[in-house]
Amino acid sequence: MSLKRFLLPAALSVACLLALPAGAQEAAKEKVILDTDMVEMFDDGVAMTMLAAAPNVQLLGVTTLSGNSWVQDGTATALRQLELEGHTDVPVAMGAEYPLRPDRHQLFKTERLLVGRGHDVWTGSFGLEKPASWQAAYKARYGSAPQLAPVAQHAVNFIIDAVRANPGQVTIAAIGPATNLALAVRMAPDIVPLIGRVVYMGGAFFQPGNTTPAAEFNWYFDPEAAHIALRSPFKEQVILGLDVCEKVIFRKEHYARLLKTLDASPLAAMLRGTFVGEHFEKDASFTHYVWDVLVAAVIIDPSLIAREVVRFVDVNDQPGLSYGQSLAWAHDAPAGAQKARIVTDVDVPRFWNMLNDPRYWRSIPRPQEAGAAH
């Protein structure tokens, strides 16, 4: 099949947008808040880059929280990548440091012994030392002073204010634990009908979990928050869990292609220095997943979704062997469970072509350019 066919739906969408007057173009853009437990490049960092550069998206802000990283680390990483990418107008707001249930970090080792481990050894901030501050995390990782800083407002308040200011227009891209979102709807329940939709990376409805045999990492990190979020009667909830994410396999050829796309940009060096890059450099048979990038991709181009099912959904927030397990019912669901679209397949070749679309990377300064970040 030709590249032209793969890129046609997204190209048509962009062409229609560009045909509008400038003011109408801005109004037509989908307003997105990226709620993230940020890591470098794959996968949160790439999701942020794509949303910040997409011509049909207005990235209202990035809200950070603990999960894959401590919120201090994630905030530093988000700021660094925005600096390198030239997206210095995107605000970053720091959010939840801990999950809703008290003492999860202190009790995690015992909990893991009691519930067992899934096929992924990664434990995120449960297994990482907490930085003293985001500034300390930035200096330790990048060895220089930051050019940007997070806004003074807490991420939860940022979400509330942005939704109230743009009723019915905001998409929450919830690619980390749901703690910030759950706190926002608890603090300001009036925003629930005002949120356009929530698109999650979370859960494993039709297959085992990865962190435990029952649970996927994001929702296992804070099952109470996921339970609150999923039971909120948002207009629309779209879920990309392990059911689709583990069908999109990141291989050495995809890594090499993206490095070629990145060319001499500083993000190429950042990618090589990540866990993923280091493993691909050593082992051509290494494989990985791209999880959160799929959320950004289907927000930008919903036609990437190849198959989905609509189910009532929930998360088990009761400690035990099934703590954090995501649940789905076709009918006869528990009272209070809400319907959601569960994505089970995407157009994989089109996704990889989309990832390498130059529009997401062309604004990044190269070392030889004046004013390039370093």
Side-chain angles (χ1 to χ4, degrees), residues 70-291:
W70 283 99
V71 66
Q72 296 87 350
D73 268 321
T75 300
T77 301
L79 294 169
R80 178 60 172 172
Q81 289 177 116
L82 290 171
E83 291 168 357
L84 293 177
E85 295 159 12
H87 298 305
T88 56
D89 58 338
V90 177
V92 175
M94 288 183 66
E97 186 171 312
Y98 296 104
L100 297 184
R101 183 175 291 276
D103 302 324
R104 287 291 308 282
H105 283 77
Q106 291 87 339
L107 299 175
F108 176 72
K109 289 184 179 179
T110 301
E111 183 180 305
R112 200 160 178 80
L113 288 173
L114 295 175
V115 304
R117 181 177 70 78
H119 63 262
D120 195 335
V121 299
W122 178 246
T123 59
S125 70
F126 285 140
L128 298 171
E129 184 177 351
K130 185 175 74 171
S133 64
W134 74 264
Q135 295 95 330
Y138 190 105
K139 185 174 182 180
R141 184 178 293 271
Y142 304 114
S144 61
Q147 301 169 29
L148 302 175
V151 298
Q153 190 177 35
H154 192 279
V156 172
N157 300 99
F158 183 94
I159 292 170
I160 293 169
D161 288 352
V163 170
R164 285 174 174 167
N166 301 278
Q169 300 178 60
V170 176
T171 292
I172 307 292
I175 63 173
T179 318
N180 284 338
L181 181 58
L183 289 171
V185 301
R186 279 288 179 90
M187 182 181 294
D190 64 284
I191 70 170
V192 171
L194 302 180
I195 292 174
R197 62 174 173 157
V198 182
V199 186
Y200 302 91
M201 191 280 114
F205 292 94
F206 310 118
Q207 67 176 66
N210 56 354
T211 300
T212 77
E216 175 274 332
F217 176 83
N218 279 350
W219 290 357
Y220 173 74
F221 188 89
D222 195 343
E224 288 75 16
H227 177 76
I228 291 168
L230 289 174
R231 280 181 163 253
S232 297
F234 299 119
K235 292 178 182 177
E236 183 179 36
Q237 299 192 81
V238 183
I239 302 170
L240 291 94
L242 300 187
D243 310 290
V244 63
C245 292
E246 293 194 350
K247 293 179 181 178
V248 183
I249 302 173
F250 190 23
R251 303 184 188 277
K252 178 67 178 281
E253 67 242 39
H254 304 125
Y255 169 74
R257 183 182 175 189
L258 183 58
L259 281 178
K260 186 175 180 180
T261 299
L262 293 173
D263 191 29
S265 80
L267 288 186
M270 181 178 278
L271 175 57
R272 288 191 178 95
T274 63
F275 166 87
V276 172
E278 289 176 351
H279 276 72
F280 276 131
E281 296 291 342
K282 292 185 294 186
D283 180 6
S285 66
F286 174 73
T287 60
H288 204 55
Y289 301 112
V290 295
W291 299 291

